Amino acid sequence: MIELRFASELYPPAAVRDAAVAYADFAQCEIEERDGATWVRVSASGDADESMLAAELANYALGLSIDRRRAHD
Amino acid sequence: MKQAANPSDVVLELEEGLYSLDAIYGTAYVFIDRCYVLLDRSGPGRISVRLRPKAETSATAEDLMGEFENELLGQAWRRLLVEENRKLVETVTTHALAGAAGPPGLDDLLDMDIDDQAAFDDPLGIAVSWEDKYKKRDKASVDAGDDPSQATPPKSGGGEGSSE
């Protein structure tokens, strides 16, 4: 299992949740919000590279965060 | 188990005073196809950017870091230009859209409040003849310090230089 920390001011929690939902077919994600951040514990389903999966999820969350910010501008 | 730092990762520490969050976001967006990008708050006014090259890219982490820094400069500069010219761009865009709307229709004209007084207003001076608009003043008026563009032309039929 890999734990990722997403600072809420950089990654809106909603964006992180959406990313976790998008990767639901590939990984199990436990989400917790605390200490000004969203923590995501990623466990790969099947034989997927867990480290790569976590990194891809983080990238996806970043993309969603940027899209949200642009939409609000 | 937390996300361990990978040996191939590089980390940049950025000052928010130099690079706005929008510039950092914009730069990160450009790189997420070639590397994994993770942002974090590393301290007051500081943001860390962790870059890890994807397996399919041939660029090294150091290469990507250099490219990231260059792109960041470009993003920051573009945003500065946008801010400086925001008002001008909005004005031009507004005028362009208003022009594209075309001339007022009959309903628009009927909705206008035009009374007898307003009907003959000429704020742009369109009804003024060219001669009246640009008439020159005589030399005496210019020497007196009046507006030279208002000088009247000299009268013909007498004085020096007359052919008669």
Side-chain angles (χ1 to χ4, degrees):
Chain A
M1 184 184 69
I2 291 179
E3 187 176 54
L4 300 171
R5 178 183 177 279
F6 298 101
S8 296
E9 61 179 302
L10 300 174
Y11 299 82
V16 177
R17 284 194 296 271
D18 288 347
V21 167
Y23 276 75
D25 289 343
F26 310 101
Q28 294 177 347
C29 299
E30 298 173 23
I31 301 175
E32 182 185 359
E33 292 182 38
R34 57 181 167 85
D35 303 329
T38 304
W39 299 80
V40 181
R41 285 180 283 277
V42 180
S43 301
S45 305
D47 300 328
D49 181 344
E50 201 164 74
S51 177
M52 187 190 74
L53 203 60
E56 289 285 353
L57 189 150
N59 260 15
Y60 193 70
L62 178 60
L64 292 178
S65 301
I66 294 170
D67 288 343
R68 280 175 173 271
R69 186 175 176 92
R70 287 179 178 172
H72 284 119
D73 282 348
Chain B
M1 183 176 88
K2 290 190 177 179
Q3 174 78 48
N6 190 294
S8 64
D9 291 358
V10 290
V11 180
L12 288 83
E13 294 276 337
L14 304 175
E15 293 280 347
E16 267 190 289
L18 294 176
Y19 306 104
S20 67
L21 186 56
D22 282 332
I24 296 171
Y25 272 150
T27 306
Y29 202 76
V30 170
F31 281 80
I32 56 175
D33 64 330
R34 290 189 290 162
C35 58
Y36 300 113
V37 183
L38 187 67
L39 307 181
D40 201 358
R41 171 71 64 185
S42 57
R46 297 180 68 82
I47 291 177
S48 69
V49 181
R50 180 180 295 275
L51 301 176
R52 180 186 304 170
K54 288 190 177 180
E56 55 267 28
T57 186
S58 58
T60 65
E62 286 71 26
D63 292 340
L64 289 169
M65 182 174 68
E67 289 180 37
F68 192 96
E69 289 170 337
N70 281 353
E71 178 66 26
L72 189 57
L73 272 174
Q75 291 276 346
W77 175 238
R78 278 195 286 273
R79 272 157 179 76
L80 186 63
L81 288 175
V82 165
E83 282 306 314
E84 288 182 355
N85 295 299
R86 181 183 295 276
K87 196 163 186 179
L88 175 64
V89 171
E90 286 176 357
T91 302
V92 170
T93 304
T94 301
H95 283 149
L97 292 174
L106 181 59
D107 291 337
D108 297 323
L109 291 171
L110 292 173
D111 289 339
M112 289 183 183
D113 182 20
I114 301 176
D115 56 18
D116 289 342
Q117 184 65 35
F120 292 95
D121 285 347
D122 183 23
L124 299 179
I126 295 173
V128 178
S129 70
W130 190 92
E131 287 76 15
D132 289 337
K133 204 176 210 178
Y134 296 105
K135 64 183 177 182
K136 294 183 180 178
R137 297 179 305 148
D138 56 21
K139 190 175 184 302
S141 299
V142 174
D143 290 341
D146 294 338
D147 183 358
S149 67
Q150 297 302 314
T152 55
K155 293 184 179 179
S156 60
E160 290 185 15
S162 172
S163 60
E164 294 187 31

